[in-house]
Amino acid sequence: MSPNITTILVASTLVATGTYLFLSRSLVRALMGFLLLGNGANLLFLVASGPAGAPPIVGESDAPMADPVPQALVLTAIVITLGMTAFVLALAHRGRQLSGVDLVTDDTESARIHARAEADDTGSPSARDVADQIAAEGERTESRYHDEGSTGEERGER
Amino acid sequence: MITTYSWMVPLLVVLPLVGAGLALAAAGRTWVQRTVSMSVLGSMLVLAGVLLWAADQQGAQVVYVGGWLPWEGIVLVVDRIAALMVIVSTTVTMGVLGYSIGQGRSSFDDESDGHSPLPVFHPTFLVLAAGVTTTFVSGDLFHIYVGFEMLLAASFVLLTLGGTAERVRAGTTYVLVSLLSSLIFLMAISLVYSATGTINLALLAQRVGDLPGGTIAVLQLMLLIGFAVKAAVFPMSGWLPDSYPTAPAPITAVFAGLLTKVGIYAMIRVQTLLFPTSRFDDLLMWAALLTMVVGILGAVVQDDIKRMLSFTLVSHIGYMLFGIAVGSTIGLAAAIFYVVHHILIQTTLFLVTGLIERVGGSSDTSRLGNLARISPVVGVLFFIPAMNLGGIPPFTGFLGKVGLIQAGVDEGSWLAMTVVVGSVLTSLLTLYAVARVWGRAFWSENPEGITGSGPVRGGHHEALGLGVLVPTTGLVAVTVALSVAAGPLYDITTRAAVDLMMRQPYLDAVLGSGVTL
């Protein structure tokens, strides 16, 4: 069986562009990337199913039947991708509600420990300051959230 | 083969899913949810126990779903390793659920939701259990993918429960990484189907060997990368310590226990069944070594106990990977033993960290102190599993490591020897990391003055009620009991490893006896 070259090329393009978008810090762009990647993977199942054929119903036609298994798989995969997309969209919406942007932020605890280790190594007061600053920043974000959490606005949204 | 006990196999997945539906329907009534969840998990535990006995005595229990044979349909296979995994995972799930019930109503979002119960917790938790079990009992590559997606979807919800800023941040990383690994797995499945025309594991075991070497290598690498991201193998491990610690203690506990091990389990299946000859052993050895060392070096500098435990979790994945990479029966038996040990111990430690949070108001060691005097019970409950994790005899952590080291020495190559040295070093550093927590949180004089009068958050005045103490103590008791019963357990894992290495018992069970490889 020789695979369909057009399908393969389209799938590769989808995967390539999807990967590029997936690397973005913006959650919505990453989601677009996920969708393209998912469609690329789904097209690969079409390649796997081999040449097109008659509908896979016994007794319908004498012509060679299409392989039904990849079709079943690809349908399942599409449904799963849909569900995951809905969740990521909800997550992006919530992230935007909280911080105003949908960017993936860094882990402040890692940054703090890194800065502290640097301060211990070099003994430089400035690195120590950076560590303290990150810690303070983290606590401020947290406490700001605590305050917001008790306001009626957020309660109302749930 | 279809046997008297086969009918039990689908129940392992059906029960939690039906339970999830019931729990969702009973969303407002907390006690109904609790009864449903606990009785579902209890029945699963009994069923899995019977199935382990049956698989051990009669061979693997097989179900052809809908009566379709392996050439067209999905098969469910419960052999020794699958039954063992289901038992252990259900045990820790029950322990964690007991703990979260004991925590009371406002357990999962102490910061923001006042005292409203979260009706979505129990259903999601049961779906997670169903996903994990699906992965364990499945004999079909795509069905394993579906199981992964079930447990991932449930874990997304649990990790971001309450939608606080910190959890949304952590959840974003976790969700994106998990989705990517699933896509890699999905593409690998479509390539496997293109190459062989089947996704049934038993049929693949027959057919993969006929493929050209390059094709096998591509398929194997893609599957391994997909699973390695899930199992948090270095260098695909960065997401784990970033995302796990932000969730509430019980949720982190069940994630740490189960989710990475599902990846390891899938790796064991695929490596033994599909690729017994071309195994990328050296690559896996390097990955195991780096996972151990890099993980534990991350653990020793952490202030937060949850983060420290997350890094040791990554680090100890290296041990299991090493057992797989050695590729001998001893190595595999030790790896399975270590998986059982690690699921229990990591879950227990995270639950104990939850207790520490309740007593001291924080899991940050720089804000804790004097805990040994304030709460000796928590001290004992932390000390036993911590020593177990560090590999102190006579606990299971020690026995598992001895098995792995023996397998490495038997293998004898310089690379295996290097990993053996690395594993001993990692074990020592693990001990150092937990001893550091012990010294700072339990023994040191308290820097900023915690009072021990109960947790800061959540508004519970009773920090250590029986509701949280009993499940935690129960899990600690199970880990100690396993150390006592390590002999029989090792026998079972060895028999499981022998079957996995031979492959023929699995094929006989699924395709009928007399089938050749």
Coordinates of all heavy atoms in Angstrom, one line a residue, chain A residues 15 22 27 30 34 37-38 41-42 44-45 47-48 67 69-70 73 76-77 80 84 87-88 91 94-95 98 104-107 109-110 112-113 116 139 142 145-146 149 154-155 158, chain B residues 109 111-114 142 145-146 149 152-153 156-157 160 162-165 168-169 171-173 175-176 179-180 183 186-187 189-190 193-194 199 242 301-304 307 367 457:
Chain A
V15 N 1.1 19.8 11.8 CA 1.9 19.5 13.0 C 3.0 20.6 13.2 O 3.2 21.0 14.3 CB 2.6 18.1 12.9 CG1 3.6 17.9 14.0 CG2 1.5 17.0 13.0
F22 N 2.3 26.1 19.7 CA 2.2 25.5 21.1 C 3.3 26.1 22.0 O 3.2 26.1 23.2 CB 2.4 24.0 20.9 CG 1.8 23.2 22.1 CD1 0.5 22.9 22.1 CD2 2.7 22.9 23.1 CE1 0.0 22.2 23.2 CE2 2.1 22.2 24.2 CZ 0.8 21.8 24.2
L27 N -1.8 31.5 26.4 CA -2.5 30.2 26.5 C -3.4 30.0 25.3 O -3.6 28.9 24.8 CB -3.3 30.2 27.8 CG -4.0 28.9 28.2 CD1 -3.0 27.8 28.1 CD2 -4.6 29.0 29.5
A30 N -1.4 28.8 22.4 CA -1.0 27.4 22.7 C -2.1 26.5 22.4 O -2.0 25.4 21.8 CB -0.5 27.3 24.1
F34 N -2.5 23.4 19.9 CA -3.0 22.1 20.3 C -4.0 21.6 19.3 O -4.0 20.4 18.9 CB -3.6 22.2 21.7 CG -4.3 21.0 22.1 CD1 -3.7 19.8 22.3 CD2 -5.7 21.0 22.2 CE1 -4.4 18.6 22.6 CE2 -6.4 19.9 22.6 CZ -5.8 18.7 22.8
L37 N -2.2 20.6 16.1 CA -1.5 19.4 16.3 C -2.5 18.2 16.3 O -2.2 17.1 15.7 CB -0.8 19.4 17.6 CG 0.6 20.0 17.6 CD1 1.1 20.2 19.1 CD2 1.6 19.1 16.9
G38 N -3.6 18.4 17.0 CA -4.6 17.4 17.1 C -5.2 17.0 15.7 O -5.3 15.8 15.4
A41 N -2.6 14.9 13.9 CA -2.7 13.5 14.4 C -3.9 12.8 13.8 O -3.8 11.7 13.4 CB -2.7 13.5 15.9
N42 N -5.0 13.5 13.8 CA -6.2 12.9 13.2 C -6.0 12.5 11.7 O -6.4 11.4 11.3 CB -7.4 13.8 13.4 CG -7.8 13.9 14.8 OD1 -7.4 13.1 15.6 ND2 -8.6 15.0 15.1
L44 N -3.3 11.8 10.4 CA -2.4 10.6 10.3 C -3.2 9.3 10.4 O -2.8 8.3 9.7 CB -1.4 10.6 11.5 CG -0.1 11.4 11.3 CD1 0.8 11.2 12.5 CD2 0.6 10.9 10.0
F45 N -4.3 9.3 11.1 CA -5.2 8.1 11.1 C -5.8 7.9 9.8 O -6.0 6.7 9.4 CB -6.3 8.3 12.2 CG -5.8 7.9 13.6 CD1 -5.5 8.9 14.5 CD2 -5.7 6.6 13.9 CE1 -5.1 8.6 15.7 CE2 -5.3 6.3 15.2 CZ -5.0 7.2 16.1
V47 N -4.3 8.5 7.0 CA -3.2 7.8 6.3 C -3.2 6.3 6.6 O -3.0 5.4 5.8 CB -1.8 8.5 6.6 CG1 -0.7 7.7 5.9 CG2 -1.9 9.9 6.2
A48 N -3.3 6.1 8.0 CA -3.2 4.7 8.5 C -4.4 3.8 7.9 O -4.2 2.6 7.8 CB -3.3 4.7 10.0
D67 N -11.2 0.6 5.7 CA -10.9 0.0 7.0 C -11.7 0.8 8.1 O -11.4 2.0 8.2 CB -9.4 0.1 7.2 CG -9.0 -0.6 8.5 OD1 -9.9 -0.9 9.3 OD2 -7.8 -0.7 8.7
V69 N -11.6 0.6 11.4 CA -11.0 0.8 12.7 C -10.5 2.2 12.9 O -10.8 2.9 13.8 CB -10.0 -0.3 13.0 CG1 -9.3 0.0 14.3 CG2 -10.6 -1.7 13.0
P70 N -9.6 2.7 11.9 CA -9.1 4.0 12.1 C -10.2 5.1 12.2 O -10.0 6.1 12.9 CB -8.2 4.2 10.9 CG -7.9 2.9 10.4 CD -9.1 2.1 10.7
L73 N -11.3 5.1 15.7 CA -10.3 5.7 16.5 C -10.3 7.3 16.4 O -10.3 8.0 17.3 CB -8.9 5.2 16.2 CG -8.7 3.7 16.3 CD1 -7.2 3.4 16.0 CD2 -9.1 3.2 17.6
T76 N -13.2 9.0 18.1 CA -12.9 9.1 19.6 C -11.9 10.2 19.9 O -12.1 11.0 20.8 CB -12.3 7.7 20.1 OG1 -13.1 6.7 19.5 CG2 -12.4 7.7 21.6
A77 N -10.8 10.3 19.1 CA -9.8 11.3 19.3 C -10.4 12.7 19.1 O -10.0 13.6 19.9 CB -8.6 11.0 18.3
I80 N -12.4 13.6 22.2 CA -11.5 13.9 23.3 C -10.9 15.3 23.2 O -10.8 16.1 24.1 CB -10.4 12.8 23.5 CG1 -11.1 11.5 23.9 CG2 -9.4 13.2 24.5 CD1 -10.2 10.3 24.0
M84 N -11.1 18.5 25.8 CA -9.9 19.1 26.3 C -9.9 20.6 25.9 O -9.5 21.5 26.7 CB -8.6 18.4 25.8 CG -8.5 17.0 26.3 SD -8.3 16.9 28.0 CE -8.2 15.2 28.3
F87 N -12.0 22.6 28.2 CA -11.4 22.9 29.5 C -10.3 23.9 29.4 O -10.2 24.8 30.2 CB -10.7 21.6 30.0 CG -10.2 21.8 31.4 CD1 -11.1 21.7 32.5 CD2 -8.9 22.1 31.6 CE1 -10.6 21.9 33.8 CE2 -8.4 22.3 32.9 CZ -9.3 22.2 34.0
V88 N -9.4 23.9 28.3 CA -8.3 24.9 28.2 C -8.9 26.3 28.1 O -8.4 27.2 28.6 CB -7.4 24.5 27.1 CG1 -6.3 25.6 26.9 CG2 -6.7 23.2 27.3
L91 N -10.0 27.5 31.3 CA -8.8 27.8 32.1 C -8.2 29.2 31.7 O -7.9 30.0 32.5 CB -7.7 26.7 31.9 CG -6.6 26.7 32.9 CD1 -7.1 26.3 34.3 CD2 -5.6 25.6 32.5
R94 N -10.4 31.9 33.0 CA -10.2 32.1 34.4 C -8.9 32.8 34.7 O -8.8 33.8 35.5 CB -10.2 30.8 35.2 CG -10.0 30.9 36.7 CD -11.2 31.5 37.3 NE -11.0 31.6 38.8 CZ -11.5 32.6 39.6 NH1 -12.3 33.5 39.0 NH2 -11.3 32.6 40.8
G95 N -7.9 32.4 33.9 CA -6.6 33.1 34.1 C -6.7 34.6 33.8 O -6.1 35.4 34.4
L98 N -8.3 36.6 36.5 CA -7.5 36.8 37.7 C -6.4 37.8 37.4 O -6.1 38.6 38.3 CB -6.9 35.5 38.2 CG -7.9 34.5 38.8 CD1 -7.3 33.2 39.0 CD2 -8.4 35.1 40.2
V104 N 1.3 32.4 30.4 CA 1.7 31.4 31.3 C 2.9 32.1 32.2 O 3.9 32.4 31.6 CB 2.2 30.2 30.7 CG1 2.7 29.1 31.7 CG2 1.2 29.6 29.8
T105 N 2.7 32.2 33.5 CA 3.7 32.9 34.3 C 4.7 31.9 34.9 O 4.4 30.7 34.9 CB 3.0 33.7 35.4 OG1 2.0 32.8 36.0 CG2 2.4 35.0 34.9
D106 N 5.8 32.5 35.4 CA 6.8 31.6 35.9 C 6.5 31.2 37.4 O 5.6 31.8 38.0 CB 8.1 32.4 36.0 CG 8.8 32.4 34.6 OD1 8.6 31.4 33.9 OD2 9.5 33.3 34.3
D107 N 7.2 30.2 37.8 CA 7.0 29.7 39.2 C 7.9 30.5 40.1 O 9.1 30.5 40.0 CB 7.5 28.2 39.2 CG 7.3 27.6 40.5 OD1 6.7 28.2 41.4 OD2 7.6 26.4 40.6
E109 N 8.4 30.4 43.3 CA 9.2 29.7 44.3 C 10.6 29.3 43.7 O 11.6 29.4 44.4 CB 8.4 28.5 44.8 CG 9.1 27.7 45.9 CD 9.2 28.3 47.2 OE1 8.7 29.4 47.4 OE2 9.9 27.7 48.1
S110 N 10.5 28.7 42.5 CA 11.8 28.3 41.9 C 12.7 29.5 41.7 O 13.9 29.4 42.0 CB 11.6 27.8 40.5 OG 10.9 26.6 40.5
R112 N 12.8 32.2 43.5 CA 13.3 32.7 44.8 C 14.4 31.8 45.2 O 15.5 32.3 45.7 CB 12.2 32.6 45.8 CG 12.5 33.2 47.1 CD 11.4 33.1 48.1 NE 11.2 31.7 48.5 CZ 11.9 31.1 49.5 NH1 12.9 31.7 50.0 NH2 11.7 29.8 49.8
I113 N 14.3 30.4 45.1 CA 15.3 29.5 45.5 C 16.6 29.7 44.7 O 17.7 29.7 45.2 CB 14.8 28.1 45.5 CG1 13.9 27.9 46.7 CG2 15.9 27.1 45.6 CD1 13.2 26.6 46.8
R116 N 18.3 32.8 45.9 CA 18.9 32.6 47.2 C 20.2 31.8 47.1 O 21.2 32.1 47.7 CB 17.9 31.9 48.1 CG 18.3 31.9 49.6 CD 17.4 30.9 50.4 NE 17.6 29.6 49.9 CZ 16.9 28.6 50.3 NH1 15.9 28.8 51.1 NH2 17.1 27.4 49.8
E139 N 4.3 36.7 48.2 CA 3.3 36.9 49.2 C 2.3 37.9 48.9 O 1.1 37.8 49.3 CB 4.0 37.2 50.6 CG 4.8 36.0 51.1 CD 5.2 36.2 52.5 OE1 5.0 37.3 53.1 OE2 5.8 35.2 53.0
E142 N -0.2 36.5 46.7 CA -1.1 35.6 47.4 C -2.1 36.3 48.2 O -3.3 36.1 48.2 CB -0.2 34.7 48.2 CG -0.9 33.4 48.5 CD 0.1 32.5 49.2 OE1 1.3 32.3 48.7 OE2 -0.2 32.0 50.3
Y145 N -4.8 37.9 46.4 CA -5.8 37.0 46.0 C -6.7 36.7 47.2 O -7.9 36.6 47.0 CB -5.2 35.7 45.5 CG -6.3 34.7 45.3 CD1 -7.2 34.9 44.3 CD2 -6.6 33.7 46.2 CE1 -8.3 34.2 44.1 CE2 -7.7 33.0 46.1 CZ -8.5 33.2 45.0 OH -9.6 32.4 44.9
H146 N -6.1 36.5 48.4 CA -7.0 36.2 49.6 C -8.0 37.3 49.8 O -9.2 37.0 50.1 CB -6.1 36.2 50.8 CG -5.4 34.8 51.0 ND1 -6.1 33.7 51.3 CD2 -4.2 34.5 50.7 CE1 -5.3 32.7 51.4 NE2 -4.1 33.1 51.0
G149 N -10.6 37.1 47.2 CA -11.4 35.9 47.3 C -12.6 36.1 48.2 O -13.6 35.5 48.1
E154 N -16.4 37.9 43.5 CA -16.1 36.6 43.0 C -17.1 35.6 43.4 O -17.4 34.7 42.7 CB -14.7 36.2 43.6 CG -14.3 34.9 43.1 CD -12.9 34.5 43.6 OE1 -12.1 35.4 43.6 OE2 -12.8 33.4 44.0
R155 N -17.6 35.7 44.6 CA -18.6 34.8 45.1 C -19.8 34.8 44.1 O -20.4 33.7 43.8 CB -19.1 35.3 46.5 CG -20.0 34.4 47.2 CD -19.3 33.1 47.7 NE -18.1 33.3 48.5 CZ -18.0 33.7 49.7 NH1 -19.2 33.9 50.4 NH2 -16.9 33.9 50.4
R158 N -19.5 32.5 41.0 CA -19.5 31.1 41.0 C -21.0 30.6 40.9 O -21.8 30.9 41.7 CB -18.9 30.6 42.3 CG -17.5 30.7 42.2 CD -17.0 31.0 43.6 NE -15.5 30.7 43.5 CZ -15.0 29.6 43.9 NH1 -15.8 28.7 44.4 NH2 -13.7 29.5 43.9
Chain B
D109 N -11.2 24.2 49.3 CA -10.9 25.5 48.9 C -10.9 26.4 50.1 O -11.8 27.3 50.2 CB -11.8 26.0 47.8 CG -11.1 27.1 47.0 OD1 -10.0 27.4 47.4 OD2 -11.7 27.6 46.1
E111 N -9.3 28.9 51.0 CA -9.1 30.3 50.9 C -10.4 31.0 50.5 O -10.6 32.1 51.1 CB -8.1 30.6 49.8 CG -6.7 30.1 50.1 CD -6.4 28.8 49.4 OE1 -7.4 28.2 49.0 OE2 -5.3 28.4 49.3
S112 N -11.1 30.5 49.6 CA -12.1 31.5 49.0 C -13.6 31.0 49.1 O -14.4 31.9 49.0 CB -11.8 31.7 47.6 OG -12.0 30.4 46.9
D113 N -13.9 29.8 49.4 CA -15.3 29.5 49.1 C -16.1 29.4 50.4 O -17.2 28.9 50.5 CB -15.4 28.2 48.4 CG -15.1 27.0 49.3 OD1 -14.4 27.2 50.3 OD2 -15.5 25.9 48.9
G114 N -15.5 30.0 51.5 CA -16.3 29.9 52.7 C -16.5 28.5 53.2 O -15.5 27.7 53.3
F142 N -5.0 1.9 22.0 CA -5.8 3.1 21.9 C -6.7 3.2 23.2 O -7.0 4.3 23.6 CB -6.7 3.0 20.7 CG -7.4 4.3 20.4 CD1 -6.7 5.3 19.8 CD2 -8.7 4.6 20.8 CE1 -7.3 6.6 19.5 CE2 -9.3 5.8 20.6 CZ -8.6 6.8 19.9
Y145 N -4.8 4.8 25.7 CA -4.9 6.3 25.4 C -6.2 6.9 26.0 O -6.1 7.9 26.7 CB -4.8 6.6 23.9 CG -5.2 8.0 23.5 CD1 -4.3 9.0 23.7 CD2 -6.4 8.2 22.9 CE1 -4.6 10.3 23.3 CE2 -6.8 9.5 22.5 CZ -5.9 10.5 22.7 OH -6.2 11.8 22.4
V146 N -7.3 6.2 25.8 CA -8.6 6.7 26.3 C -8.5 6.7 27.9 O -8.9 7.7 28.5 CB -9.7 5.8 25.8 CG1 -11.0 6.3 26.5 CG2 -9.9 6.0 24.4
E149 N -6.6 9.7 28.9 CA -7.4 11.0 28.8 C -8.4 11.1 29.9 O -8.6 12.2 30.4 CB -8.0 11.1 27.4 CG -7.1 11.1 26.2 CD -6.2 12.3 26.3 OE1 -6.6 13.4 26.3 OE2 -4.9 12.1 26.3
L152 N -6.5 12.2 32.9 CA -6.0 13.5 32.7 C -7.1 14.5 32.9 O -6.9 15.5 33.6 CB -5.4 13.7 31.3 CG -4.0 13.2 31.1 CD1 -3.5 13.5 29.7 CD2 -3.0 13.8 32.2
A153 N -8.2 14.3 32.2 CA -9.3 15.3 32.3 C -9.7 15.4 33.8 O -9.9 16.6 34.3 CB -10.5 14.8 31.5
F156 N -7.1 17.4 35.6 CA -7.1 18.9 35.3 C -8.1 19.5 36.3 O -7.8 20.6 36.8 CB -7.6 19.1 33.9 CG -6.6 18.6 32.8 CD1 -7.0 18.6 31.5 CD2 -5.4 18.3 33.1 CE1 -6.2 18.2 30.5 CE2 -4.5 17.8 32.2 CZ -4.9 17.8 30.8
V157 N -9.3 18.9 36.4 CA -10.3 19.5 37.2 C -9.8 19.6 38.7 O -9.9 20.6 39.4 CB -11.6 18.8 37.1 CG1 -12.6 19.3 38.1 CG2 -12.1 18.8 35.7
T160 N -7.0 22.3 39.4 CA -7.4 23.7 39.4 C -8.7 23.9 40.2 O -9.3 25.0 40.1 CB -7.7 24.1 37.9 OG1 -8.6 23.2 37.4 CG2 -6.4 24.1 37.1
G162 N -11.4 25.2 42.5 CA -11.4 26.5 43.2 C -10.9 27.6 42.4 O -11.3 28.7 42.6
G163 N -10.1 27.3 41.4 CA -9.7 28.3 40.4 C -8.9 29.5 41.1 O -9.1 30.6 40.6
T164 N -8.1 29.2 42.1 CA -7.3 30.3 42.6 C -6.2 30.7 41.7 O -5.8 29.9 40.8 CB -6.7 29.9 44.0 OG1 -5.7 28.9 43.7 CG2 -7.7 29.4 44.9
A165 N -5.6 31.9 41.9 CA -4.6 32.3 40.9 C -3.4 31.3 40.8 O -2.9 31.0 39.7 CB -4.1 33.7 41.4
V168 N -4.4 28.1 39.0 CA -4.6 28.3 37.6 C -3.2 28.4 36.9 O -3.0 27.8 35.8 CB -5.4 29.6 37.3 CG1 -5.3 30.0 35.8 CG2 -6.9 29.4 37.7
R169 N -2.3 29.1 37.5 CA -0.9 29.2 37.0 C -0.3 27.8 36.8 O 0.2 27.4 35.8 CB 0.0 30.0 37.9 CG 1.4 30.2 37.3 CD 2.4 30.6 38.4 NE 2.6 29.6 39.4 CZ 3.3 28.5 39.1 NH1 3.9 28.3 38.0 NH2 3.5 27.6 40.1
G171 N -1.9 24.9 37.0 CA -2.7 24.1 36.1 C -2.4 24.3 34.7 O -2.4 23.3 33.9
T172 N -2.1 25.5 34.3 CA -1.8 25.8 32.9 C -0.6 25.0 32.4 O -0.7 24.3 31.3 CB -1.5 27.3 32.7 OG1 -2.6 28.0 33.3 CG2 -1.5 27.6 31.3
T173 N 0.5 25.0 33.2 CA 1.6 24.3 32.8 C 1.3 22.8 32.7 O 1.6 22.1 31.7 CB 2.8 24.4 33.8 OG1 2.8 25.8 34.2 CG2 4.1 24.0 33.3
V175 N -1.6 21.2 32.3 CA -2.5 20.9 31.2 C -1.8 20.9 29.9 O -1.9 19.9 29.1 CB -3.7 21.9 31.2 CG1 -4.5 21.8 29.9 CG2 -4.6 21.7 32.4
L176 N -1.0 21.9 29.6 CA -0.3 21.9 28.3 C 0.6 20.8 28.1 O 0.7 20.1 27.1 CB 0.4 23.3 28.1 CG -0.5 24.5 28.0 CD1 0.3 25.8 27.8 CD2 -1.5 24.3 26.8
L179 N -1.3 17.5 27.6 CA -1.9 17.5 26.3 C -0.9 17.1 25.2 O -1.1 16.3 24.3 CB -2.6 18.8 26.0 CG -3.9 19.1 26.7 CD1 -4.4 20.5 26.3 CD2 -4.9 18.0 26.5
L180 N 0.3 17.7 25.4 CA 1.3 17.5 24.4 C 1.7 16.0 24.4 O 1.9 15.3 23.4 CB 2.5 18.4 24.6 CG 3.6 18.3 23.5 CD1 3.0 18.8 22.2 CD2 4.8 19.1 23.9
L183 N -0.8 13.9 22.7 CA -0.7 14.0 21.3 C 0.4 13.1 20.7 O 0.2 12.5 19.7 CB -0.5 15.4 20.8 CG -1.8 16.3 20.8 CD1 -1.5 17.7 20.5 CD2 -2.8 15.7 19.8
L186 N -0.8 9.7 20.8 CA -1.8 9.5 19.7 C -1.2 9.3 18.3 O -1.6 8.4 17.6 CB -2.8 10.7 19.7 CG -4.0 10.6 18.8 CD1 -4.9 9.5 19.2 CD2 -4.8 11.9 18.8
M187 N -0.2 10.2 18.0 CA 0.5 10.0 16.8 C 1.2 8.7 16.7 O 1.2 8.0 15.7 CB 1.5 11.2 16.6 CG 0.8 12.5 16.3 SD 2.0 13.8 16.1 CE 1.0 15.2 16.3
I189 N 0.3 6.0 18.1 CA -0.7 4.9 17.8 C -1.1 4.9 16.4 O -1.2 3.8 15.8 CB -2.0 5.2 18.7 CG1 -1.7 5.0 20.2 CG2 -3.1 4.3 18.3 CD1 -2.8 5.5 21.1
S190 N -1.2 6.0 15.7 CA -1.6 6.0 14.3 C -0.5 5.4 13.5 O -0.7 4.7 12.5 CB -2.0 7.4 13.8 OG -0.9 8.2 13.6
Y193 N -0.5 1.7 13.9 CA -1.6 1.0 13.1 C -1.2 1.0 11.7 O -1.5 0.0 11.0 CB -2.9 1.8 13.3 CG -4.1 1.0 12.7 CD1 -4.8 0.1 13.4 CD2 -4.5 1.3 11.4 CE1 -5.8 -0.7 12.9 CE2 -5.5 0.5 10.8 CZ -6.2 -0.4 11.6 OH -7.2 -1.1 11.0
S194 N -0.6 2.1 11.2 CA -0.2 2.1 9.8 C 0.8 1.0 9.5 O 0.7 0.3 8.5 CB 0.5 3.4 9.4 OG -0.2 4.5 9.9
I199 N -3.9 -2.6 16.9 CA -3.4 -1.9 18.1 C -3.6 -2.7 19.3 O -3.5 -2.3 20.4 CB -4.2 -0.5 18.3 CG1 -5.6 -0.7 17.9 CG2 -3.5 0.6 17.4 CD1 -6.5 0.5 18.2
D242 N 6.7 21.9 39.5 CA 6.1 23.2 39.2 C 4.6 23.2 39.5 O 4.0 24.1 40.0 CB 6.3 23.6 37.8 CG 5.8 25.0 37.5 OD1 6.1 25.9 38.3 OD2 5.2 25.2 36.4
V301 N 17.3 21.4 48.1 CA 17.4 22.9 48.4 C 16.0 23.5 48.7 O 15.9 24.7 49.0 CB 18.0 23.7 47.2 CG1 19.4 23.3 47.0 CG2 17.1 23.5 46.0
Q302 N 15.0 22.6 48.6 CA 13.6 23.2 48.8 C 13.3 23.6 50.2 O 13.7 22.9 51.2 CB 12.6 22.2 48.3 CG 12.7 21.9 46.8 CD 12.6 23.0 45.9 OE1 11.8 23.9 46.1 NE2 13.4 23.0 44.9
D303 N 12.5 24.6 50.4 CA 12.0 25.0 51.7 C 10.7 24.4 52.0 O 10.4 24.0 53.1 CB 11.8 26.5 51.8 CG 13.2 27.2 52.0 OD1 14.1 26.6 52.5 OD2 13.2 28.4 51.7
D304 N 9.9 24.2 50.9 CA 8.5 23.8 51.1 C 8.5 22.2 51.1 O 9.1 21.6 50.2 CB 7.7 24.3 50.0 CG 6.2 24.1 50.2 OD1 5.8 22.9 50.2 OD2 5.5 25.1 50.5
R307 N 7.1 20.7 47.9 CA 8.0 20.8 46.8 C 9.1 19.8 46.9 O 9.5 19.2 45.9 CB 8.5 22.3 46.6 CG 7.5 23.3 46.2 CD 8.1 24.6 46.1 NE 9.1 24.7 45.1 CZ 8.9 25.0 43.8 NH1 7.7 25.3 43.4 NH2 9.8 25.0 42.9
R367 N 8.8 28.4 58.1 CA 7.8 28.9 59.0 C 7.4 27.9 60.0 O 6.5 28.1 60.8 CB 6.6 29.3 58.2 CG 6.8 30.5 57.3 CD 5.5 30.9 56.7 NE 5.8 31.7 55.5 CZ 4.9 32.1 54.7 NH1 3.6 31.7 54.8 NH2 5.2 32.9 53.6
R457 N -5.5 28.5 58.2 CA -6.6 28.6 57.2 C -7.7 27.6 57.5 O -7.6 26.7 58.3 CB -6.0 28.2 55.9 CG -4.8 29.0 55.5 CD -4.6 28.7 54.1 NE -3.2 28.8 53.7 CZ -2.7 28.2 52.6 NH1 -3.5 27.5 51.8 NH2 -1.5 28.4 52.3

